[in-house]
Amino acid sequence: MPDRTPILAANWKMHKTIEETERFLAESLPRVADSGPEVVICPPFPSLKAAVERCAQSRIRVAAQNMHEEPEGAFTGEVSAPMLIELGVDGVILGHSERRQHFGETDEALARKVPAALDAGLEPILCVGENESQRDSDETEGILTRQIEADLAGVPDERLGEVVIAYEPIWAIGTGRTATPEQAQEAIALIRGLVESRSAEQAGAIRVLYGGSVKPDNAEELISQPDVDGALVGGASLDPEGFAAIVAAAA
Ligand code: PGA
């Protein structure tokens, strides 16, 4: 089995000004800088530059929370991959359920965003996941299959391993209701199997994270599942101590 370095990514959503970002990193960098897992901080757009500058001398990487698929154009309010690259950003979250739910993010757009990010040199963190009624009516497998097939359609087989996928069941996001380690493992193994149907080699390399109410006290059990390669952490990543505890759990 290939060695996959775990990733712990902090999705701050619409939290933390530049000043708060600097304060968090001043406290957090000494705690997580020498850890084994890769650590990625995902602040809001205005705080990206400060985060890039603060993390420059460390192993911590910085990702944005969204981008447009075109490099430039008449798309008011949007930000492109080359603009993120110019800031020194390393990656970008794409297809978060909050963007799908509140901002009309579609699989069609994601099919263009994921390869656009890769081509620009950004590591995409693609989020997929079912909602509560879909899980209750046994549609999880169908939903994940549809999202993975559609969202990765534009990525060449030999580059699939460069994408990071986050399995985030919508019913577990911000609810305090975490998926059980078995549910996370089952869904993530399914996702890896979908990648395997395109390339066995890339399926062994691709990192698939779990996200949804990850906390210091449940992180270790979730991340120790054989197919779970880390976590995308929302609420619990806002506190330097809590986030450091989650990173430590994955080490
Ligand atoms: P949460 O959010 O950890 O607050 O549930 C996770 C996410 O939305 O990425």
Side-chain angles (χ1 to χ4, degrees):
M1 192 152 130
D3 256 353
R4 295 187 298 264
T5 307
I7 299 179
L8 273 301
N11 176 14
W12 286 354
K13 311 190 180 190
M14 200 171 71
H15 294 283
K16 294 199 192 291
T17 61
I18 294 173
E19 197 239 308
E20 288 163 342
T21 298
E22 289 181 333
R23 208 168 344 121
F24 176 98
L25 289 171
E27 271 193 61
S28 188
L29 286 181
R31 297 178 199 250
V32 300
D34 296 326
S35 59
E38 288 176 26
V39 177
V40 184
I41 304 285
C42 313
F45 287 127
S47 299
L48 282 170
K49 191 169 196 289
V52 166
E53 284 169 1
R54 282 276 169 164
C55 295
Q57 304 307 320
S58 79
R59 296 174 52 235
I60 301 187
R61 294 180 300 136
V62 178
Q65 299 174 13
N66 181 37
M67 59 164 236
H68 195 274
E69 61 269 32
E70 294 295 334
E72 61 178 7
F75 302 105
T76 302
E78 293 289 318
V79 167
S80 74
M83 294 170 185
L84 296 174
I85 288 285
E86 188 183 36
L87 281 178
V89 167
D90 305 289
V92 59
I93 297 174
L94 294 173
H96 190 281
S97 61
E98 285 152 16
R99 295 220 56 88
R100 295 181 191 253
Q101 229 173 320
H102 305 307
F103 303 100
E105 180 86 282
T106 61
D107 288 318
E108 292 69 36
L110 288 163
R112 301 179 63 206
K113 288 187 181 196
V114 181
L118 279 178
D119 288 345
L122 292 169
E123 178 174 73
I125 304 175
L126 171 68
C127 302
V128 295
E130 80 288 359
N131 65 28
E132 186 163 26
S133 71
Q134 290 163 337
R135 175 157 284 263
D136 289 346
S137 53
D138 264 349
E139 289 173 72
T140 301
E141 183 174 341
I143 295 291
L144 294 178
T145 303
R146 203 189 65 217
Q147 289 179 337
I148 292 289
E149 286 179 354
D151 301 350
L152 296 179
V155 178
D157 289 354
E158 68 278 8
R159 295 198 74 181
L160 285 168
E162 295 171 52
V163 179
V164 175
I165 298 174
Y167 166 60
E168 296 209 309
I170 295 167
W171 47 271
I173 294 178
T175 59
R177 231 183 103 198
T178 317
T180 64
E182 294 73 27
Q183 286 172 324
Q185 165 59 26
E186 187 183 22
I188 290 176
L190 169 83
I191 290 168
R192 198 178 302 286
L194 292 166
V195 176
E196 193 170 7
S197 66
R198 291 183 51 186
S199 162
E201 189 190 345
Q202 300 296 312
I206 195 167
R207 276 137 352 137
V208 191
L209 319 181
Y210 167 78
S213 298
V214 174
K215 306 274 183 266
D217 60 359
N218 60 27
E220 187 173 351
E221 214 188 351
L222 286 158
I223 295 166
S224 63
Q225 299 300 306
D227 280 291
V228 181
D229 302 317
L232 181 56
V233 187
S237 74
L238 295 170
D239 164 50
E241 202 172 322
F243 186 59
I246 292 172
V247 173

